[in-house]
Amino acid sequence: MRLRIFLEPQQGATYEDQLAVARATEEAGFEALFRSDHYLRMGDRSGGLPGPTDAWITLAGLARETSRVRLGTLMTAATFRHPGPLAIAVAQVDRMSGGRVEFGFGAGWFEEEHAVYGIPFPRTARERFDRYEEQLDIITGLWSTPVGETFRYEGGHYRLAEGPALPKPWQTPGPPVVIGGTGPRRTPRLAAVFADEYNVPFCSVADTGAAFGRTRKAVVDLGRTKPMVYSAAQVLCVGRDEAEIARRAERIGREVDELRLNGLAGTPDEVVEKIGRFGELGAERMYLQLLDMADLEHLELVADRVAPQLD
């Protein structure tokens, strides 16, 4: 089981806050640092200073200020950007990082943030997924087109004139694609077609297992032979004792009992046991959602007391 750190900067974080976590993540030996791609704080709107930071601009900076840790998004929203410029941006960050980028990509869902920043939001889930599927086709197509050849696309929502399909990412044919969610039909199919990794966020062990099963079936139905990595994301709240657990839960506005049920909360041994249950389902990676970015001691505790038990 490989551990990755996952941030929600739209809740209130500067670039410097994220850089501090990225450096701590790298120094502590975690595999990757991922961040959300949102432009609006969720929950109470009264906080969240200094405001949102753009995911790919942030990752470009982190790419130059780290050397080992992998970098990515859970999940970049297809509604935020046109597929051509997005393919260019991700390819550029991959080159800036020396091939450490992973491309978590979703259909988009948070309608309010679109309204606040003037981003068009498709009226139906079907249209969002139609656009999302075309974007997956375009982005992976642009990356995988051999140098010297051209790429053209004719879809229902996007049309690309014949062009050079540049720049190329550092990784070939492109950064690993991560698709997530628990949709019963299109999500498993799209994961089977496009994804290197399938992620289930913030679900129970049982619901995660059911989602893994649907995607495994889609992989078989497609006749896919390329391996699929399965992963899960859970909120993190670890403490050496009950007082430390309670203090960390209070700082993120959650209850300990609820976190024990719906996240990775408790002592290091409790968290190791629950991660093991996800591992029994076939999860190879666990994304640990660190909601209090100022608490770098939290990362040190997980690195010292949880990670060694998962080797």
Side-chain angles (χ1 to χ4, degrees), residues 9 13 22 26 41 55 103 136 211 264:
E26 188 161 84
R41 178 182 172 93
F103 181 52
L136 282 163
L264 295 175

Side-chain angles (χ1 to χ4, degrees), residues 139-152:
I139 293 167
T140 57
L142 286 166
W143 289 341
S144 61
T145 298
V147 173
E149 297 186 14
T150 59
F151 179 82
R152 180 183 180 89

Side-chain angles (χ1 to χ4, degrees), residues 9-20:
Q10 78 279 353
Q11 298 302 101
T14 63
Y15 171 75
E16 289 74 20
D17 294 330
Q18 295 169 75
L19 175 59

Side-chain angles (χ1 to χ4, degrees), residues 237 242-252 256 295 297:
C237 184
E242 291 302 318
E244 190 171 52
I245 297 165
R247 174 175 61 80
R248 288 199 161 108
E250 182 179 10
R251 287 185 61 127
I252 62 174
V256 173
D295 188 4
E297 291 181 0

Side-chain angles (χ1 to χ4, degrees), residues 157-173:
H157 297 282
Y158 300 100
R159 293 172 178 80
L160 278 70
E162 191 166 317
L166 296 173
K168 295 302 180 199
W170 182 285
Q171 299 172 90
T172 303

